[in-house]
Amino acid sequence: MMTPDDPESQPPPMGDNEPSSPSWLIGEVAATPAHAPDAAVEKIDRRDFLARATSVAMGASLVAVYGAFAAMAGRFLYPARPALKGWLYVADVAGFKRGASLSYTAPDGATVAIARPGEAGKVEDFIALSSTCPHLGCKVHWEGQNQRFFCPCHNGAFDPSGRAIAGPPQEAGQSLGKYPLRIDGGLLYIEVPLEGLPGPGEA
Amino acid sequence: MAWLRERIPLDGDQLREMSNEPVPNHLKRWWFALGGTPAYLFIVQIVTGILLAFYYEPSPRTAYGSVKYITDTAAYGWYFRSVHKWGATLMIAAVILHQMRVFFTGAYRKPREINWLIGMCLLACTLGAGFTGYSLVYEQLSYWGTTVGANISASVPVVGPFMKAMMLGGDTYNERTLPRLFMVHAAILPAVMLGLITVHIALIRLQGVTEFQFKDEPADKPKTFPFFPDHFYTELSVGLVLMVLLSALATILPATLGPHADPLSTPEVIKPEWFF
Ligand code: HEM
Ligand code: FES
């Protein structure tokens, strides 16, 4: 922003009695005729000071008003909150035998592979694997004949426990994400996002 | 600086030359600054409109919900929506006041007839933006206002039915109506207005503003003052005052949201926006 006391921004004098600083800002002072020579010197000083003060005030208001506006716009554009999550029922623990697995579809359409590798019937014996590849986010799918999850994007592969065994995810030592599970009154629950984009079949 | 200078061959003197149109003294009177007000509000509408368009979803199934999201959920969404709405209201008022001052001071006379016509087109576009903008909210009155508006256009002889079909994208209000109104509101009208405003200002600079001598001014006083910094500072202050005014209005009287549009029942009280 240019200010009136910035030498770059001074306009060429337009006429003899044209004040070179914005006269509307300091109109009264500028218009006051100087009576004595030394009073005139003082007037110039005061005029100078007032011009400077008004530019500072102007600069401050510009920054305050448009700065606040820009900050609000930034907050407005930043996503409001993470997607809503909730606990949903999956299966009866008693009916979910060791070694069994099922494919669960969350409300946001994501497929979750849920398996029971352990015996005891505690939460730790169940596993719920995300179908989102930890590499760059493509969807993996289960390959029964190879006993692995496969990601078509860069040929990533994961064993049944979700550990990467091939491709970029293995090089990076990644695993498939896990969803939180909970057992309550003999029933298995999973915490999943409640909203998302529908697939072509839904909507 | 030197790096920039080499690539953009412009120096301070040239810039001053370009921007330093001498401004007639009468512009120090506030009612002559009414032309700058719609221009500033136009920029406010573009900025807030672009922000709203980040969340607005133009389809009958999503429009109302997205405006509700803007109003209730998005951070400061109520503020930007209300500023957009009050900006539209003040803009229409400012254009009309500007036009009245031009009319009553006779400034539309030769050689400024073309600019008067351009101004008329700008008024029409502003009203059009107000009308299409309100349709987008898809509350009861948006829907019925649009329907009634389309049927009024349809009553124009010969071209009426064509106009209505173009407006609604079909014989009646349908799935494809809102996207169409949105494009007109957010792309076509702003682009046309930007062009008209450019020509409007170019003509003012070519012809100069009609000069007036006021009785209470000494005749030998210089008739103009430099655009920069004097008038530029005035405009900056006007902008700040308008921004504060818009924010105050938005806070005290925020934009509301009526009931969702229902194509099967017309509300008891149906009135258009105040400017119609
Ligand atoms: C050029 C001058 C403009 C005027 C006079 C204007 C006027 C309006 C009005 C009166 C509304 C209804 C407000 C409400 O009741 O909530 C509205 C809504 C809307 N406008 Fe504009 N507008 C303008 C420019 C723009 C531009 C340039 C954009 C986008 C690029 C835009 C995007 C929107 C959107 C998305 C809505 C619907 C959301 C809402 O109502 O909150 N507008 N406009
Ligand atoms: S995204 Fe799955 S391997 Fe790259």
Side-chain angles (χ1 to χ4, degrees), chain A residues 62-136:
Chain A
L62 284 173
V63 170
V65 168
Y66 295 114
F69 190 94
M72 285 161 87
R75 268 302 285 117
F76 175 73
L77 291 181
Y78 190 78
R81 54 174 167 73
L84 216 57
K85 284 187 186 172
W87 288 95
L88 294 181
Y89 166 79
V90 180
D92 189 345
V93 172
F96 201 145
K97 296 282 175 262
R98 177 175 179 194
S101 70
L102 60 82
S103 172
Y104 175 82
T105 308
D108 68 347
T111 334
V112 183
I114 304 180
R116 179 173 180 180
E119 181 56 62
K122 299 224 188 63
V123 190
E124 294 75 42
D125 301 319
F126 292 87
I127 180 167
L129 291 177
S130 157
S131 58
T132 301
C133 178
H135 178 224
L136 291 175

Side-chain angles (χ1 to χ4, degrees), chain A residues 146-181:
Chain A
N146 296 325
Q147 284 296 299
R148 63 171 195 179
F149 294 99
F150 181 71
C151 176
C153 284
H154 314 94
N155 298 328
F158 305 84
D159 71 12
S161 73
R163 208 168 44 82
I165 49 172
Q170 186 208 17
E171 284 155 34
Q174 293 164 316
S175 300
L176 291 174
K178 294 193 175 71
Y179 286 86
L181 291 169

Side-chain angles (χ1 to χ4, degrees), chain B residues 187-265:
Chain B
I188 297 177
L189 283 177
V192 169
M193 288 170 81
L194 191 63
L196 289 174
I197 291 173
T198 310
V199 177
H200 198 65
I201 292 176
L203 280 176
I204 293 171
R205 295 215 38 184
L206 286 174
Q207 298 164 341
V209 188
T210 311
E211 288 185 20
F212 299 97
Q213 185 73 47
F214 285 93
K215 285 196 202 72
D216 55 343
E217 272 175 4
D220 56 346
K221 220 177 118 187
K223 286 201 169 56
T224 60
F225 62 99
F227 180 84
F228 196 90
D230 297 40
H231 197 60
F232 180 68
Y233 267 48
T234 316
E235 294 288 349
L236 271 189
S237 322
V238 170
L240 283 175
V241 168
L242 281 171
M243 206 61 221
V244 171
L245 177 68
L246 283 173
S247 304
L249 285 170
T251 313
I252 300 165
L253 294 166
T256 54
L257 195 52
H260 192 289
D262 179 0
L264 301 180
S265 88

Side-chain angles (χ1 to χ4, degrees), chain B residues 41-42 45-57 63 66-67 70-71 77 80-82 84-89 91-92 125-137 139 142 182 185-187 189-191 193 255-257 273 275:
Chain B
L41 290 171
F42 179 72
Q45 291 307 91
I46 301 275
V47 172
T48 51
I50 288 175
L51 287 174
L52 292 174
F54 271 81
Y55 291 116
Y56 179 70
E57 300 171 63
S66 66
V67 175
I70 291 170
T71 315
F80 293 115
R81 183 172 165 230
S82 305
H84 194 72
K85 186 161 183 154
W86 279 111
T89 306
M91 187 166 163
I92 289 162
C125 287
T126 312
L127 290 174
F131 177 75
T132 49
Y134 187 54
S135 304
L136 298 181
V137 182
E139 58 185 30
S142 315
F182 182 58
H185 179 79
L189 283 177
M193 288 170 81
T256 54
L257 195 52
E273 290 279 66
F275 45 82

Side-chain angles (χ1 to χ4, degrees), chain B residues 56-66 136-138 143 173-179 260-261 263:
Chain B
Y56 179 70
E57 300 171 63
S59 101
R61 256 173 290 113
T62 53
Y64 184 84
S66 66
L136 298 181
V137 182
Y138 208 61
Y143 180 88
Y173 206 120
N174 62 63
E175 286 276 338
R176 286 164 298 282
T177 305
L178 270 181
H260 192 289

